[in-house]
Amino acid sequence: MARILYLIKLVVLFLGFNLHKALSWRNQSSMYGTDDRCNPSPHPLGMCQSQAAAFGYPCEEYKVTTEDGYILSLKRIPYGRADSNTSTEARQPILLFHGLMVDGVSWVMSTPQQSLGFILADNGFDVWIANSRGTNSSRNHTSLSTKDPAYWDWSFDELASYDLPAVAQFAYDKTGKKLHYVGHSLGTLMILAAFSEHKLLDVLRSAVLLCPIAYLSRMKSKLTLLAARIFLAETVYWLGFHEFNPVGPVAHTVLSQICDNPEINCYDLFSAVAGPDCCLNTSTFCAFLEHAPQSTSVKNLVHLSQLIRNGGVSRYDYGNTRDNMKHYNQPRPPVYNLSSIPNHVPIFLTHGGEDFLGDVPDTRHLLRTLVRKHDSDNIEVLYVPDYAHADFVMAYNAPQLIYGPMVEFFERH
């Protein structure tokens, strides 16, 4: 209790919050002039109707239930819009998994010439798009409501152990073929965790890591570092909040402890968190704001904060020996040993010099861990100096810089 009271005092010290200032990320960005801003509102339609059908693509939706009861929405674009042959028998399936606080629509946010989901479909692939628990289209459960604290009792451990295997196995069973995998941000941490425990090797044939996050201790995002160092997510969790809605009242409170810091620019919060993206256009960014940001669990943020402070990659730490023994039968949480990822798994890793989350020093640490024993023919690295975190899924020049080499990688493997 004393520690909680101390942390609450820290919260109070950071108050003095201006709501307009903290929420200005929803209609301001350094890429825009004063007369060129979004006025975003939540899109009333899901991905298939709002994005795929709007551009003339077929889109199917499946419901996949995880072992722990979460009902996930899994979308499929089985072929391109100009394909006369609609059979999927000869098509290689690919599973796309999004990052933190977004969902699968991030893969089809822009035009067919710029969105990875559409580009892959037009290049002859059978595209499967995952949506993790808690996102807008995956908020159902076999027995729990989103109003139940138990619904939000998960971190990326469960995403790697339940969500990812459920959708990968479902797509594998439907197609009868091993899948290529593409993950962005948190989607990369999930596949690295799974592969480190030698899971999913029988259903996935390769992995693309777009601005991977794993080691986080040297990230450049001062906002995220400060939140982790003052145990902000833990404070929110101990105060009884379980869902973190980035545009809800809990987020307002969280930002109130950050935005008075003179080193953090809350007038461009998007860049303060993820880095200054070089190559986003207005229409794509406005489309992003119609579908994001979305909810995650507070426990997930606590877990990521633990990684930032501890420097390694391990399972969720319950904070005391008794609870860790209860969950893991050992006093400290098990480590995800990334060096144990099988060296024959083809991996394509791409990262950016302006990424504040998947920053260069931490990514190089990850690369040293992976490359040390990996077959040289099965790992490729692409570095883009001026790319930040969102550029990899929304940049107007990503098709030339990133997606073209990615398709060539798939064709080789």
Side-chain angles (χ1 to χ4, degrees):
M1 180 59 70
R3 186 181 184 188
I4 295 176
L5 291 174
Y6 171 72
L7 290 169
I8 293 173
K9 289 179 181 179
L10 283 178
V11 168
V12 173
L13 288 175
F14 280 91
L15 289 175
F17 176 59
N18 182 308
L19 182 60
H20 170 75
K21 180 180 179 182
L23 292 183
S24 60
W25 67 274
R26 292 209 65 163
N27 59 14
Q28 292 190 54
S29 174
S30 57
M31 79 185 88
Y32 302 133
T34 56
D35 296 322
D36 190 16
R37 297 175 184 170
C38 305
N39 185 21
S41 59
H43 202 290
L45 302 176
M47 189 204 91
C48 281
Q49 291 178 280
S50 68
Q51 300 301 117
F55 288 111
Y57 286 84
C59 190
E60 304 167 2
E61 181 172 3
Y62 301 90
K63 296 296 182 183
V64 180
T65 302
T66 67
E67 285 188 15
D68 55 347
Y70 290 82
I71 301 172
L72 311 180
S73 172
L74 178 62
K75 308 294 200 299
R76 182 188 194 185
I77 304 176
Y79 50 86
R81 61 176 175 172
D83 287 324
S84 57
N85 179 10
T86 60
S87 171
T88 58
E89 290 185 7
R91 293 176 178 272
Q92 177 61 48
I94 293 182
L95 176 63
L96 310 182
F97 218 118
H98 58 83
L100 182 67
M101 297 187 197
V102 296
D103 68 357
V105 77
S106 59
W107 302 109
V108 291
M109 199 75 73
S110 189
T111 66
Q113 292 74 33
Q114 293 180 316
S115 299
L116 179 59
F118 295 144
I119 289 171
L120 291 173
D122 288 336
N123 274 272
F125 293 97
D126 180 4
V127 181
W128 295 78
I129 299 177
N131 296 275
S132 68
R133 62 184 68 187
T135 56
N136 289 350
S137 60
S138 298
R139 294 175 68 87
N140 291 322
H141 190 277
T142 54
S143 62
L144 298 173
S145 161
T146 54
K147 295 181 180 180
D148 297 325
Y151 177 92
W152 299 100
D153 186 20
W154 51 267
S155 74
F156 71 80
D157 284 339
E158 284 71 28
L159 300 183
S161 298
Y162 297 112
D163 289 27
L164 176 55
V167 295
Q169 188 67 51
F170 184 92
Y172 174 80
D173 291 342
K174 277 285 187 180
T175 62
K177 301 174 184 176
K178 295 178 71 171
L179 295 86
H180 293 298
Y181 178 88
V182 180
H184 175 244
S185 189
L186 190 65
T188 67
L189 181 56
M190 292 159 51
I191 193 63
L192 289 169
F195 277 170
S196 74
E197 296 179 341
H198 293 195
K199 297 176 180 176
L200 300 179
L201 298 173
D202 55 338
V203 298
L204 299 179
R205 61 186 297 169
S206 74
V208 169
L209 311 178
L210 300 178
C211 48
I213 61 169
Y215 304 105
L216 298 174
S217 62
R218 288 173 285 186
M219 68 163 56
K220 293 167 64 177
S221 173
K222 295 179 180 178
L223 185 152
T224 309
L225 284 171
L226 176 60
R229 288 168 180 167
I230 67 171
F231 290 79
L232 194 53
E234 285 83 350
T235 302
V236 173
Y237 186 77
W238 290 328
L239 291 175
F241 296 99
H242 302 278
E243 175 182 3
F244 184 82
N245 178 351
V247 294
V250 176
H252 299 172
T253 302
V254 167
L255 287 174
S256 72
Q257 295 123 63
I258 300 295
C259 286
D260 270 2
N261 188 300
E263 294 186 359
I264 296 171
N265 178 16
C266 285
Y267 284 106
D268 190 2
L269 199 54
F270 193 75
S271 296
V273 172
D277 296 285
C278 68
C279 306
L280 307 190
N281 58 36
T282 302
S283 59
T284 301
F285 193 77
C286 289
F288 167 79
L289 292 179
E290 289 183 338
H291 296 276
Q294 299 183 26
S295 291
T296 189
S297 71
V298 175
K299 184 176 180 180
N300 196 26
L301 299 183
V302 171
H303 195 177
L304 292 170
S305 297
Q306 292 173 355
L307 267 57
I308 293 170
R309 291 192 299 268
N310 298 336
V313 187
S314 60
R315 288 185 175 269
Y316 183 84
D317 189 346
Y318 286 88
N320 60 78
T321 299
R322 183 190 64 184
D323 287 340
N324 283 334
M325 288 294 296
K326 176 182 176 181
H327 287 87
Y328 309 122
N329 199 32
Q330 59 186 61
R332 296 191 58 80
V335 171
Y336 289 111
N337 182 7
L338 302 187
S339 65
S340 71
I341 294 175
N343 57 20
H344 67 275
V345 178
I347 293 176
F348 179 96
L349 185 153
T350 178
H351 65 118
E354 295 297 322
D355 191 344
F356 282 8
L357 299 177
D359 61 283
V360 172
D362 283 325
T363 302
R364 287 177 176 170
H365 184 185
L366 172 63
L367 278 170
R368 287 192 296 271
T369 303
L370 295 176
V371 172
R372 186 179 298 121
K373 297 180 180 179
H374 219 83
D375 293 343
S376 59
D377 292 340
N378 285 328
I379 190 164
E380 299 181 26
V381 180
L382 177 60
Y383 174 64
V384 186
D386 58 348
Y387 262 30
H389 208 65
D391 284 310
F392 289 88
V393 290
M394 293 196 292
Y396 58 78
N397 55 0
Q400 294 76 37
L401 295 182
I402 307 297
Y403 306 156
M406 183 193 304
V407 169
E408 294 174 359
F409 167 81
F410 290 142
E411 292 172 346
R412 290 192 294 273
H413 297 282

